[in-house]
Amino acid sequence: METILEQQRSYHEERERTMDAMVKEILQKKTGHRETINADHRLKNLHDRYIESTIRLKELYEDKDGLRKEEIAALSGPNEFQEFYARLKQIKEFHRKHPNEICVPMSVEFEELAKIRENPAEDYTTPVEFTDEEGYGKYLDLHECYEKYINLKGIEKVDYITYLSIFDHLFDIPRERKNSEYRNYIRALLTYLKDFVSRIKPLSDQAQEMAIAHQEFIKQWEAGTFPGWPKETGGALTNIGAHLDLSAFFSWEELASLGLDRLKSALMALGLKCGGTLEERAQRLFSTKGQTALDKSLVAKKGANKAKATTQQRHKDIAAIEAQVYRFANIVSSTRAATIENVTRRAARAAGERRDESDEESDASAAADVDSDDDEVPYNPKNLPLGWDGKPIPYWLYKLHGLNISYSCEICGNYTYKGPKAFQRHFAEWRHAHGMRCLGIPNTAHFANVTQIEDALALWEKIKNQKENERFVAENDEEFEDSQGNVVNRKTYEDLKRQGLL
């Protein structure tokens, strides 16, 4: 068993090594998005370990049980040599009973951490898990929340791309639609956003973010300015009621002319039920004219105020969850924009291209970051020509496939394609389709092999003019036959008819 002083020394060493590892982790250059997230998680683990060792070290220094004081007194007392040999005897006895016991020093553990930090490509362990749709933290995966959203009653059904743009527009949903099912939906949405932020930004303080969101919510709620939850408007006497002199009214129709709010105020002043339509309120109030005792069936229940308070508290709880959703949606705003772009791009591709892309992304996620792989220059010490897969191939095969010929497409943003096969194939791919869509031109077979923007626009104008000329015009294309069997168009027929020549 380790002594108190040895435990203190061990915690001091752990704190110093952890601090040194955190500094080196921060200074280490990150090569891509994946490595940045992994580094943040390693840094978070080191920080938690530093805090934990500090707490334990503080408890030892506080010495609430007095063991540390007794140990120091035993080492510095009059029998210090006797204490020394007694402890030496305990150590020898321990190793005699456990001859094969191996003690791994703390430096070995931190050396392993240094190897992972300096050689991230050799680290096959992932400190955090992401779905395939999330692309290791690049994009949001809100498909489950989307399914719950479109199943809400009274909610306009939208597609997934539109949902990504409006999932935080909770203020557009009417208040009467925000029931228990809606509360379950926003809870699931908030749970996913908090979990996603904790995975892509492990060093962020979520408790602080939630506290700030709650403080801002309380201020806006009390002021009645929280989005989607305005204060209920009404007269000054809406809650306490104002008595109404019924002697000036001779029918309930006259009372109905006062309006819903005034009738409600008068009913509340009498302690009567204030719900129902305008006619029901007027009839209920007029029935009390000249009565000394009120009908018990008309008297409001005592639990009405309590039910109203419960409803208000439920609304406040829902609005508090919405405030947190707004806060975390603002944190992932850049990720949401990238998600919308990615989903739109994937939707524009053919099914075969999407399969190829998913295979490439799965391979890249197992090896390294996708973006860094695209930007990195492949290992090619002999400067051999590269094939479609980015690997060196023989020069005769390189020329056979025409990869030494480059084709540039201005519509694709002056992107360069190697070889005629890749050039011909790109006209049906997403990049060329996106460029044609930006120009307002349909990507049809008429524009095959057209790479210049000016040529594409000129051809599109020519096609539109040709279609305009081929369009059916009643005056020119509608045929008429006179009494002699002559066939003429409509305009000529009407001219001859006006002149009396038919």
Side-chain angles (χ1 to χ4, degrees):
M1 179 179 178
E2 292 184 348
T3 62
I4 302 297
L5 295 180
E6 175 59 25
Q7 293 180 25
Q8 287 183 334
R9 185 210 63 78
S10 177
Y11 288 139
H12 275 295
E13 180 187 2
E14 185 176 4
R15 290 175 75 250
E16 292 179 2
R17 290 185 180 275
T18 304
M19 179 63 72
D20 180 66
M22 285 193 292
V23 172
K24 292 180 179 178
E25 187 70 64
I26 294 173
L27 296 178
Q28 182 72 23
K29 184 179 179 181
K30 312 303 185 298
T31 57
H33 176 78
R34 182 189 182 94
E35 175 56 26
T36 301
I37 292 181
N38 291 344
D40 288 345
H41 279 277
R42 290 195 297 266
L43 195 60
K44 178 68 166 55
N45 295 334
L46 291 172
H47 179 264
D48 293 343
R49 183 172 180 177
Y50 181 86
I51 296 298
E52 183 181 358
S53 60
T54 302
I55 293 174
R56 293 182 179 179
L57 185 60
K58 181 181 178 182
E59 292 176 354
L60 291 178
Y61 273 113
E62 290 175 353
D63 195 21
K64 294 181 180 180
D65 52 3
L67 295 179
R68 179 175 179 272
K69 185 176 181 180
E70 293 178 2
E71 184 174 343
I72 294 177
L75 291 176
S76 59
N79 300 322
E80 62 272 13
F81 290 105
Q82 184 179 355
E83 181 70 20
F84 171 78
Y85 285 111
R87 296 194 177 191
L88 179 61
K89 182 179 179 181
Q90 291 178 0
I91 294 174
K92 291 182 178 180
E93 183 67 19
F94 175 83
H95 286 284
R96 186 182 64 81
K97 292 181 179 180
H98 307 86
N100 298 324
E101 185 74 17
I102 299 176
C103 180
V104 180
M106 193 181 300
S107 59
V108 175
E109 180 182 358
F110 283 90
E111 286 175 0
E112 294 295 330
L113 292 176
K115 291 180 181 178
I116 296 175
R117 180 178 64 250
E118 295 171 0
N119 301 299
E122 299 178 2
D123 180 24
Y124 298 103
T125 61
T126 54
V128 61
E129 296 293 335
F130 290 97
T131 63
D132 294 338
E133 189 73 19
E134 289 172 337
Y136 213 86
K138 287 184 178 181
Y139 315 114
L140 295 170
D141 184 8
L142 292 173
H143 284 87
E144 293 185 5
C145 298
Y146 171 68
E147 293 293 334
K148 294 183 178 180
Y149 175 81
I150 61 177
N151 288 323
L152 294 176
K153 294 182 179 179
I155 301 298
E156 182 183 359
K157 301 300 184 289
V158 296
D159 56 6
Y160 182 62
I161 298 178
T162 306
Y163 173 75
L164 290 173
S165 303
I166 65 169
F167 74 82
D168 60 338
H169 294 185
L170 304 176
F171 46 81
D172 291 337
I173 300 177
R175 178 185 296 190
E176 57 272 12
R177 300 296 182 186
K178 297 183 178 180
N179 48 21
S180 59
E181 188 177 347
Y182 170 79
R183 180 172 55 187
N184 295 333
Y185 158 69
I186 59 175
R187 280 179 177 174
L189 178 60
L190 177 62
T191 300
Y192 174 78
L193 292 177
K194 290 169 62 177
D195 177 65
F196 184 78
V197 170
S198 66
R199 285 181 291 159
I200 64 171
K201 297 181 179 180
L203 299 177
S204 62
D205 190 354
Q206 287 197 12
Q208 182 181 4
E209 296 290 344
M210 294 177 65
I212 294 174
H214 185 69
Q215 291 176 2
E216 295 178 353
F217 162 71
I218 294 297
K219 293 179 182 178
Q220 295 178 349
W221 181 264
E222 293 177 352
T225 58
F226 188 74
W229 298 90
K231 273 190 174 180
E232 294 183 358
T233 57
L237 301 176
T238 301
N239 295 327
I240 61 175
H243 288 280
L244 181 64
D245 186 9
L246 300 179
S247 61
F249 300 92
F250 300 97
S251 66
W252 66 267
E253 287 85 357
E254 297 179 6
L255 282 174
S257 63
L258 298 178
L260 286 169
D261 292 337
R262 185 64 186 96
L263 293 178
K264 179 180 179 181
S265 178
L267 289 170
M268 291 181 64
L270 295 175
L272 301 179
K273 297 178 180 178
C274 56
T277 62
L278 178 64
E279 293 77 9
E280 292 175 351
R281 294 184 187 185
Q283 294 173 4
R284 191 182 306 130
L285 182 60
F286 189 76
S287 66
T288 63
K289 182 179 179 180
Q291 301 292 331
T292 57
L294 297 176
D295 188 357
K296 293 183 179 180
S297 62
L298 302 179
V299 178
K301 296 181 180 179
K302 294 182 179 180
N305 294 332
K306 184 177 180 181
K308 183 177 180 181
T310 304
T311 303
Q312 290 178 351
Q313 183 61 36
R314 185 174 68 252
H315 289 171
K316 185 177 180 180
D317 294 341
I318 293 176
I321 300 176
E322 290 181 356
Q324 296 181 16
V325 171
Y326 294 148
R327 186 74 181 184
F328 282 94
N330 185 39
I331 295 176
V332 299
S333 58
S334 59
T335 307
R336 177 168 67 172
T339 305
I340 296 174
E341 182 181 355
N342 179 58
V343 174
T344 306
R345 184 175 66 247
R346 290 169 65 92
R349 302 187 183 184
E353 296 176 24
R354 287 199 296 268
R355 285 196 300 269
D356 295 341
E357 181 194 9
S358 60
D359 295 341
E360 292 174 2
E361 288 187 355
S362 60
D363 295 339
S365 61
D369 184 63
V370 178
D371 289 346
S372 61
D373 287 347
D374 293 339
D375 298 336
E376 289 180 359
V377 178
Y379 180 71
N380 190 11
K382 296 185 179 180
N383 198 22
L384 294 174
L386 303 179
W388 292 291
D389 55 356
K391 296 181 180 180
I393 59 174
Y395 188 70
W396 64 269
L397 185 60
Y398 177 79
K399 291 191 66 177
L400 179 64
H401 291 295
L403 298 178
N404 56 332
I405 305 174
S406 299
Y407 300 89
S408 179
C409 181
E410 186 181 6
I411 298 176
C412 298
N414 292 322
Y415 192 85
T416 302
Y417 298 92
K418 297 289 187 179
K421 182 178 179 180
F423 176 70
Q424 292 295 332
R425 188 173 54 185
H426 99 279
F427 288 104
E429 294 179 350
W430 69 270
R431 183 180 284 109
H432 192 83
H434 178 70
M436 295 290 284
R437 194 183 307 112
C438 292
L439 295 175
I441 303 174
N443 189 24
T444 59
H446 302 87
F447 300 92
N449 299 322
V450 177
T451 60
Q452 300 296 321
I453 296 178
E454 183 179 357
D455 297 342
L457 293 175
L459 180 56
W460 176 235
E461 289 296 329
K462 182 179 179 181
I463 293 175
K464 288 195 296 184
N465 294 334
Q466 184 178 356
K467 289 184 178 180
E468 184 67 24
N469 296 331
E470 293 175 356
R471 188 172 62 88
F472 177 80
V473 180
E475 294 183 355
N476 299 328
D477 298 336
E478 192 173 2
E479 296 180 344
F480 286 80
E481 184 178 355
D482 59 7
S483 57
Q484 298 180 1
N486 299 319
V487 178
V488 294
N489 58 30
R490 179 177 180 178
K491 183 178 180 182
T492 305
Y493 179 83
E494 291 178 351
D495 291 343
L496 294 175
K497 184 177 181 181
R498 282 194 297 266
Q499 296 175 15
L501 299 178
L502 292 178

